[in-house]
Amino acid sequence: MKNLFTTFLFFLFISNANAQIDIIHPPNWWVGFENQNLQLLAKGNNISEFKVEIDYQGVEIKKIYKADSPNYLFIDLNISNSTLPGIFKIKFKRGLKELTHNYKLENRRNASQQNEGFDSSDVIYLITPDRFANGDYSNDIIKGLKENKIDRKDNYVRHGGDIIGVTKNINYIKDMGFTSIWLNPVLINDMKEGSYHGYATTDYYTPDPRFGSMDDYLDFSEKASKNGIKLIKDIILNHCGLFHWWMDDLPFNDWLNYQEIYLKSNDETIEKNTVYSNHKRSTIQDIYAAEVDYRGMLDGWFVPTMPDLNQRNRFMAEYLIQNSIWWIETLNLSGIRQDTYPYAEKEFLSDWAGRIMKEYPKFNIVGEEWSYNPIRIAYWQDGNNNKDGYKSNLKSTMDFAMQKAISEGILEEENWNTGLIKIYENLANDFYYSDPKSLLIFNDNHDMSRIYTQMKEDVSKTKMAVSLMLTLPRIPQILYGTEILMEDSAKPGDHGLIRTDFPGGWKNDKSNAFTGKNLEDSQLEMQNYLKTLLNFRKNSKAIHEGETLHYAPKDGIYLLSRKYKDEIVIYIVNKNNKPVNLDTDRFVEINAVGKIFTDIQTEKRYKWNGKIQIKNNSSIILSNK
Ligand code: CA
């Protein structure tokens, strides 16, 4: 009897397991997109044996695809322009069995709210969410997730910071003068370790509960928007996390690159078996590159914990494209920062960016090409006249070349080919870019030694570098904590150390950068300095879109001016150990003679005539408005 009962329970369990749709992605969609096609991924036990029916005015099933795994179906829908928002039933039928899934179609946001991208009028504040502020202690540890501890003394485990912590401090960010926020990724990373950084996604539609719920994320978006702050989402198309839910049951035999190696590995052997990317990013454009090197760059895995996605599989490609659009619409995003740009298939990247830009023409996307070569940076920017005909559809790329030039230019001894000449000559490369002012410039980021450390903890030099960056024809990005001289000097470049906690983000922190409590004088000075500069920049058309003019460095002095109609902004840096009485005669082309300028920091006024005194080891920004 007992056996029979157990057997009965067993069959009940099996039939229940059968009778389930585990996943439909995207989880909802909208009416009114330019592209009327939608491809649903449906996952459930033996779902491929089911017929699919939808009965809803305007929604038509165009085609249904089986995958290599019997537990997936891909369903192509057409959603006509006249379709009304509402909920429709997707019926899965097999024999007498019928499963139903309710699917929601919503109206898109109003055109007036439509996703205005970030541009050179903005300054982006880059935040590592685990390390900025802990707004909710109850989400620090979530039962059932693989990494289940916090330890603020260990820079490679979670510290408890979250989205709510950013939301609570939006006024601080706004008052500082930032206009956009880029958060390092906040989607779920249910990984055994290192989950704090967020680059190993284990579900593309779920925020990490340790960063907050979907409602917390929506609330953040709404409060940011109310405060005039644009949101930029960090998206990773190249790889996912090793514990992504699809890793247990991959839809296709070519869902991943080197899938066969993954399938014959286990937790212990995966690291040894992994075929790594050769990181030869130049092969993407190199007309002489060996195919084996080109594929080795694209198909190799970044690290053993991050499976390399195969975007040549068109279902994978569609999944990723729709996912990005889903987040833009859901969170009212203004932009995307696309991680490890050249590591994904470039034809796919072009489609991905093109599809987004078609739905959101004012949107902006910045791609991460970590190259110091302007030719390679330029290749990825839309409008570049690439010989191979490649069209990227990407408005912005990261300007690592200029970043390096600024650091070296400020730090190095002045000589024939070192020091300021590097800044001058790098900016001269702008002739090659299709749109230089849409490149993203930065002094550092979450992967790179902090600017204060780069500048050997010299406050003056840090100011010279930061203020130049903010004056260039670019979109500037500043890493959280730059304003209080955060550093990684104990071990320059160490990722955990770069991403140190922002003081005041946790209860009982000894110092508090939000209030100024217990900050050192130099930190307060830098914070004020940046606040003044950012708030000035916010209203400076000359910096946002003005003409640029610069003069070859001479005797340790470099001058750059920006001009829009009557407004002139002049940046001057003096690297000498003594004050310089600068003769302005040489700079007649600025057309500033006789005009009154104000030092935006000290409010000291100057008449642009004869000589201007610049303090030793310093930079100034002058404005005639
Ligand atoms: Ca928390």
Side-chain angles (χ1 to χ4, degrees):
M1 181 64 195
K2 193 187 167 196
N3 273 346
L4 199 66
F5 183 64
T6 312
T7 310
F8 170 72
L9 273 185
F10 178 73
F11 277 111
L12 191 71
F13 174 74
I14 287 292
S15 89
N16 272 338
N18 272 337
Q20 199 171 313
I21 305 298
D22 297 325
I23 290 168
I24 301 274
H25 280 170
N28 63 282
W29 203 245
W30 294 267
V31 292
F33 279 124
E34 286 281 321
N35 179 2
Q36 298 181 14
N37 300 320
L38 173 65
Q39 182 170 82
L40 300 178
L41 173 154
K43 184 171 190 291
N45 202 9
N46 287 319
I47 198 172
S48 59
E49 295 169 6
F50 287 71
K51 300 257 177 291
V52 185
E53 289 176 9
I54 292 171
D55 182 15
Y56 191 82
Q57 179 113 40
V59 178
E60 181 200 346
I61 297 177
K62 285 175 66 185
K63 197 161 181 185
I64 295 170
Y65 302 87
K66 291 185 183 186
D68 293 325
S69 159
N71 305 318
Y72 290 87
L73 279 178
F74 290 84
I75 306 161
D76 276 358
L77 301 181
N78 183 277
I79 300 168
S80 79
N81 280 336
S82 57
T83 311
L84 295 175
I87 291 172
F88 63 80
K89 289 189 190 314
I90 311 174
K91 289 181 180 165
F92 296 84
K93 291 183 176 175
R94 184 181 65 183
L96 295 173
K97 188 165 286 171
E98 181 174 314
L99 308 171
T100 304
H101 181 92
N102 288 329
Y103 198 84
K104 194 171 182 188
L105 279 180
E106 297 176 54
N107 268 320
R108 287 186 67 186
R109 291 172 187 277
N110 292 330
S112 60
Q113 286 178 280
Q114 209 50 269
N115 312 69
E116 196 169 317
F118 61 94
D119 58 31
S120 52
S121 68
D122 289 302
V123 179
I124 300 163
Y125 196 46
L126 166 58
I127 295 173
T128 302
D130 184 55
R131 304 294 163 85
F132 187 64
N134 194 347
D136 180 1
Y137 286 77
S138 74
N139 64 15
D140 288 2
I141 292 174
I142 301 282
K143 276 194 186 140
L145 295 184
K146 293 180 185 66
E147 189 179 23
N148 224 338
K149 63 169 180 178
I150 61 165
D151 180 0
R152 289 187 67 199
K153 292 199 182 78
D154 183 342
N155 271 331
Y156 286 87
V157 305
R158 299 189 85 98
H159 290 188
D162 45 38
I163 294 170
I164 305 160
V166 183
T167 310
K168 282 182 175 168
N169 291 298
I170 268 189
N171 279 335
Y172 167 80
I173 296 166
K174 182 187 177 186
D175 289 349
M176 277 299 297
F178 295 103
T179 63
S180 299
I181 295 174
W182 155 21
L183 297 183
N184 288 136
V186 293
L187 297 189
I188 187 162
N189 276 221
D190 190 11
M191 300 294 287
K192 287 180 180 167
E193 50 194 28
S195 70
Y196 81 95
H197 62 61
Y199 285 94
T201 313
T202 55
D203 178 38
Y204 282 93
Y205 284 97
T206 309
D208 197 300
R210 293 162 292 193
F211 286 138
S213 65
M214 194 65 204
D215 281 343
D216 295 329
Y217 209 172
L218 288 165
D219 184 55
F220 169 53
S221 153
E222 197 173 307
K223 297 226 164 76
S225 171
K226 271 189 189 142
N227 282 285
I229 304 274
K230 299 172 182 176
L231 289 197
I232 300 168
K233 189 172 191 302
D234 203 329
I235 283 183
I236 313 115
L237 301 170
N238 180 61
H239 48 259
C240 65
L242 189 63
F243 298 100
H244 190 289
W245 54 260
W246 60 39
M247 297 301 288
D248 293 334
D249 183 4
L250 292 159
F252 288 95
N253 297 333
D254 63 349
W255 196 244
L256 309 173
N257 293 313
Y258 289 112
Q259 186 158 318
E260 66 289 354
I261 288 182
Y262 163 71
L263 289 174
K264 67 177 189 200
S265 304
N266 56 39
D267 279 9
E268 277 72 47
T269 58
I270 184 83
E271 187 162 349
K272 185 169 67 75
N273 293 348
T274 295
V275 177
Y276 293 89
S277 171
N278 60 24
H279 300 286
K280 297 292 176 283
R281 294 184 290 268
S282 60
T283 58
I284 306 302
Q285 296 93 357
D286 184 356
I287 55 176
Y288 309 127
E291 180 72 9
V292 66
D293 291 336
Y294 175 70
R295 295 275 20 128
M297 158 64 197
L298 287 169
D299 296 352
W301 289 23
F302 213 71
V303 288
T305 50
M306 297 177 182
D308 201 71
L309 306 178
N310 176 20
Q311 304 92 7
R312 284 170 292 173
N313 178 307
R314 65 193 181 98
F315 299 96
M316 168 61 84
E318 194 59 35
Y319 186 90
L320 294 172
I321 292 169
Q322 290 180 168
N323 177 258
S324 295
I325 291 172
W326 189 89
W327 280 111
I328 297 169
E329 193 66 32
T330 298
L331 288 178
N332 195 20
L333 298 176
S334 294
I336 286 173
R337 178 267 183 184
Q338 174 41 39
D339 188 59
T340 49
Y341 209 73
Y343 290 81
E345 299 289 330
K346 70 179 180 184
E347 295 310 327
F348 159 76
L349 288 168
S350 169
D351 288 347
W352 170 79
R355 287 267 298 276
I356 291 170
M357 297 310 292
K358 195 168 183 205
E359 302 296 347
Y360 305 94
K362 291 188 283 182
F363 199 71
N364 197 0
I365 306 171
V366 56
E368 181 199 27
E369 160 70 284
W370 196 320
S371 170
Y372 299 114
N373 182 344
I375 301 172
R376 301 239 309 274
I377 297 169
Y379 180 85
W380 296 109
Q381 193 175 35
D382 201 34
N384 199 57
N385 192 15
N386 292 322
K387 277 189 175 175
D388 64 1
Y390 184 71
K391 181 174 161 48
S392 72
N393 295 312
L394 191 69
K395 271 192 197 168
S396 179
T397 57
M398 291 190 179
D399 191 354
F400 282 88
M402 196 69 215
Q403 173 270 323
K404 185 164 178 267
I406 294 172
S407 286
E408 292 176 351
I410 300 295
L411 206 56
E412 288 175 352
E413 290 279 322
E414 284 303 294
N415 219 319
W416 175 250
N417 57 3
T418 59
L420 294 170
I421 189 70
K422 289 195 175 170
I423 295 169
Y424 181 71
E425 292 196 342
N426 237 283
L427 198 58
N429 289 330
D430 276 17
F431 78 90
Y432 193 74
Y433 294 116
S434 61
D435 184 14
K437 74 176 190 325
S438 294
L439 299 176
L440 189 90
I441 187 63
F442 46 95
N443 294 124
D444 56 14
N445 63 31
H446 61 291
D447 288 330
M448 190 185 289
S449 190
R450 284 178 170 274
I451 186 64
Y452 187 49
T453 294
Q454 289 179 45
M455 294 296 119
K456 318 281 185 213
E457 303 205 355
D458 181 319
V459 178
S460 282
K461 287 187 173 140
T462 304
K463 288 179 179 171
M464 293 179 205
V466 174
S467 59
L468 172 59
M469 177 192 70
L470 287 164
T471 320
L472 290 174
R474 291 288 188 277
I475 307 168
Q477 166 252 295
I478 291 176
L479 180 61
Y480 78 101
T482 303
E483 69 270 37
I484 51 156
L485 302 169
M486 276 170 58
E487 40 80 21
D488 53 304
S489 305
K491 205 176 169 190
D494 179 83
H495 280 184
L497 195 55
I498 294 164
R499 307 158 189 177
T500 297
D501 292 347
F502 192 74
W506 281 253
K507 282 181 218 159
N508 308 321
D509 278 356
K510 266 183 272 169
S511 59
N512 187 330
F514 298 113
T515 62
K517 187 186 122 192
N518 289 337
L519 290 186
E520 290 171 19
D521 288 348
S522 59
Q523 293 181 300
L524 286 169
E525 183 195 321
M526 184 68 189
Q527 198 176 31
N528 268 322
Y529 177 86
L530 205 53
K531 187 174 180 179
T532 303
L533 177 47
L534 292 176
N535 281 287
F536 165 76
R537 193 190 187 284
K538 215 188 252 183
N539 301 307
S540 173
K541 282 252 184 198
I543 296 181
H544 301 170
E545 51 189 295
E547 292 163 21
T548 304
L549 176 70
H550 69 160
Y551 288 81
K554 200 177 165 202
D555 304 328
I557 303 272
Y558 173 64
L559 181 149
L560 172 138
S561 73
R562 306 293 312 279
K563 186 175 188 179
Y564 181 83
K565 293 181 181 166
D566 296 337
E567 184 196 358
I568 303 173
V569 174
I570 301 173
Y571 168 90
I572 312 173
V573 60
N574 171 18
K575 280 179 66 182
N576 294 286
N577 289 324
K578 55 178 198 300
V580 166
N581 241 344
L582 188 64
D583 197 332
T584 60
D585 288 355
R586 186 178 161 224
F587 310 112
V588 67
E589 287 164 67
I590 301 173
N591 207 4
V593 175
K595 294 195 166 80
I596 305 293
F597 284 84
T598 308
D599 178 334
I600 66 156
Q601 293 291 344
T602 62
E603 294 183 9
K604 192 178 162 190
R605 286 157 72 87
Y606 296 83
K607 192 168 183 185
W608 193 266
N609 251 353
K611 303 215 171 201
I612 288 203
Q613 193 169 81
I614 320 283
K615 277 197 249 169
N616 53 316
N617 289 314
S618 72
S619 59
I620 52 170
I621 292 177
L622 303 174
S623 163
N624 70 337
K625 278 232 154 178

